[in-house]
Amino acid sequence: MKKLSERKKLLIYKVLLFVFAFAVAFLPATASRNLEVNSRVVVEMLGVDGSDGGVEVTAQYVMPTETDGATTKDKVTVEGKTLTEAVELLNTALGRRAELGQCSVVVVGSELDPSVLGTLMTATDVTADVYLTAATEKAKDLVGDMTDFMKKSGATDADFIAYSAKKAHIATVTLLNFLSDLDSASGTAFVPVVEMLESDDGGGQEGEESKSGGGGSGSAGGGGGSSGSSEQSGMKVEKLALYGKTGRTAVLEAESARGVAWVSAPIEKGIVTADVEYGGDTVEAVSARLIKKCAEITTDAKNGKATVRLKATLEPNGDKFNLLDTKGESASKAIKSAFADKIRGEIEKAFSDARAVKSDPLFIGRTFYRYAPAYFDSEYSLDKVKVDFAVTVELK
């Protein structure tokens, strides 16, 4: 009996020793991890503006609340002589480390030097595949408006990007692609401009549909950057900011912005409308949905000429197709011709408007550089190159 009692004591000692060892090994690490988490704040959106003093950075961030599992959004603005300094000041302003690795959107202001964005990728935790959007004026104001709207509606930065990049006729761009385009032979990059929609009390813009292309522009994301007192009711993306080496060169309106997207963006969805003449009548605003598209640019250095070719597959969208005998050969030909003319007009306008400000968002120059480098070095000029546009449409 005495031996059995000693065995029980020894077993108890072993159990207590194991518990003590577990506590020593794991509990301090757990406390340390909790302390580390509490010392950081996740930045979801970053606004970058040029300023007289250098760079102004506005961060939309999320922090945990006292409610279990809940978070809250807020924003803070700092200014530094360089972007690196501004990010360090951001940490100080928040009293925690700003975690930039999960940032999904970077908003650029109208006065920003694009070289700053290269520093953003190399000197911070912002990833190369983060999406860029542009404010009409100040990125600071746009981030503020978007933050207020998202807090009210429950929308997120990820919602905006997912919709804009995949389901709308919008030329979205990542940070890496922007820098690559800007450094290419065309010397041009683009960023979608985001504007806020206001309630009827604040200007009556809500629900206004784009007249240029048929509603393909996204009204699920964006912001204009007017931090007035009117109520924000939504976001839209219809315009495109063009950039050169020294900064923003112009803003393309909706029709030209759609033209750029047809050629230079991997759009997968979108709506296009056209007036179809058939049987002596005109059916206005016939709507079709993009299924897929393929664009290519070929060069003819001997004649100083380029040809932009686009093939788009569309499917009927809406009731107006019922007014047309889509199965008949003549009706099908009229529909394809009308949509091809519409699309070609948007691309031609994009090229014309951009060339007027010495920008090349269709990347004609880059194509000559790749496939006719001798001609590009000796003779190529955006002002003089001849460009033809060929568009074919298929109906599904």
Side-chain angles (χ1 to χ4, degrees), residues 294-321:
C294 178
E296 67 170 354
I297 301 174
T298 56
T299 60
D300 179 1
K302 182 178 180 181
N303 297 302
K305 178 181 175 181
T307 302
V308 178
R309 292 184 173 85
L310 176 79
K311 182 178 180 180
T313 302
L314 309 176
E315 67 175 0
N317 181 68
D319 296 334
K320 289 196 174 182
F321 263 91

Side-chain angles (χ1 to χ4, degrees), residues 49 108-111 134-141 193 224-226 248:
D49 287 297
V108 295
S110 60
E111 300 299 323
T136 303
E137 295 295 340
K138 295 278 288 183
K140 172 184 175 181
D141 295 334
V193 177
S226 58
R248 186 178 297 185

Side-chain angles (χ1 to χ4, degrees), residues 44 103-106 120 126-132 173-176:
E44 293 185 329
C103 178
S104 59
V105 181
V106 172
L120 184 65
V126 172
T127 60
D129 60 352
V130 66
Y131 280 91
L132 298 185
V173 65
T174 64
L175 174 58
L176 180 60

Side-chain angles (χ1 to χ4, degrees), residues 139-381:
K140 172 184 175 181
D141 295 334
L142 174 54
V143 172
D145 287 343
M146 291 181 72
T147 300
D148 293 341
F149 175 72
M150 289 176 178
K151 287 166 67 175
K152 179 181 68 175
S153 67
T156 68
D157 309 337
D159 294 335
F160 162 56
I161 289 300
Y163 182 86
S164 298
K166 298 296 183 181
K167 298 182 180 179
H169 196 104
I170 297 171
T172 56
V173 65
T174 64
L175 174 58
L176 180 60
N177 287 339
F178 175 88
L179 295 172
S180 177
D181 291 341
L182 198 61
D183 196 44
S184 74
S186 288
T188 299
F190 54 77
V191 181
V193 177
V194 186
E195 298 175 278
M196 297 304 297
L197 292 169
E198 297 177 352
S199 64
D200 291 340
D201 293 337
Q205 295 181 11
E206 183 177 10
E208 183 178 354
E209 185 173 302
S210 168
K211 304 295 191 299
S212 64
S217 298
S219 52
S226 58
S227 56
S229 57
S230 55
E231 184 78 7
Q232 308 295 348
S233 63
M235 298 174 279
K236 69 176 180 178
V237 188
E238 291 183 340
K239 302 175 184 180
L240 205 62
L242 299 181
Y243 283 82
K245 299 287 187 181
T246 59
R248 186 178 297 185
T249 58
V251 174
L252 296 181
E253 296 297 323
E255 184 177 359
S256 297
R258 287 176 59 83
V260 172
W262 281 116
V263 178
S264 303
I267 54 175
E268 297 181 2
K269 301 289 183 181
I271 300 295
V272 58
T273 63
D275 296 339
V276 179
E277 295 184 2
Y278 175 64
D281 296 323
T282 299
V283 181
E284 296 182 350
V286 178
S287 176
R289 185 180 300 277
L290 175 65
I291 299 300
K292 62 179 179 180
K293 63 97 175 175
C294 178
E296 67 170 354
I297 301 174
T298 56
T299 60
D300 179 1
K302 182 178 180 181
N303 297 302
K305 178 181 175 181
T307 302
V308 178
R309 292 184 173 85
L310 176 79
K311 182 178 180 180
T313 302
L314 309 176
E315 67 175 0
N317 181 68
D319 296 334
K320 289 196 174 182
F321 263 91
N322 296 333
L323 301 175
L324 300 164
D325 180 16
T326 57
K327 295 182 180 180
E329 183 176 346
S330 59
S332 178
K333 183 177 179 180
I335 295 169
K336 292 178 182 179
S337 176
F339 278 104
D341 289 345
K342 177 67 176 181
I343 295 170
R344 183 169 52 252
E346 293 177 346
I347 300 174
E348 288 176 344
K349 184 167 177 56
F351 176 73
S352 176
D353 289 352
R355 182 157 67 173
V357 293
K358 302 185 183 303
S359 291
D360 183 19
L362 303 187
F363 305 119
I364 305 294
R366 184 170 68 188
T367 307
F368 273 106
Y369 176 79
R370 288 176 175 175
Y371 299 105
Y375 170 81
F376 179 85
D377 290 337
S378 61
E379 298 183 50
Y380 174 79
S381 169

Side-chain angles (χ1 to χ4, degrees), residues 58-74:
T58 302
Q60 179 204 90
Y61 60 92
V62 294
M63 292 184 63
T65 65
E66 294 182 359
T67 305
D68 187 29
T71 59
T72 183
K73 293 181 187 290
D74 210 336

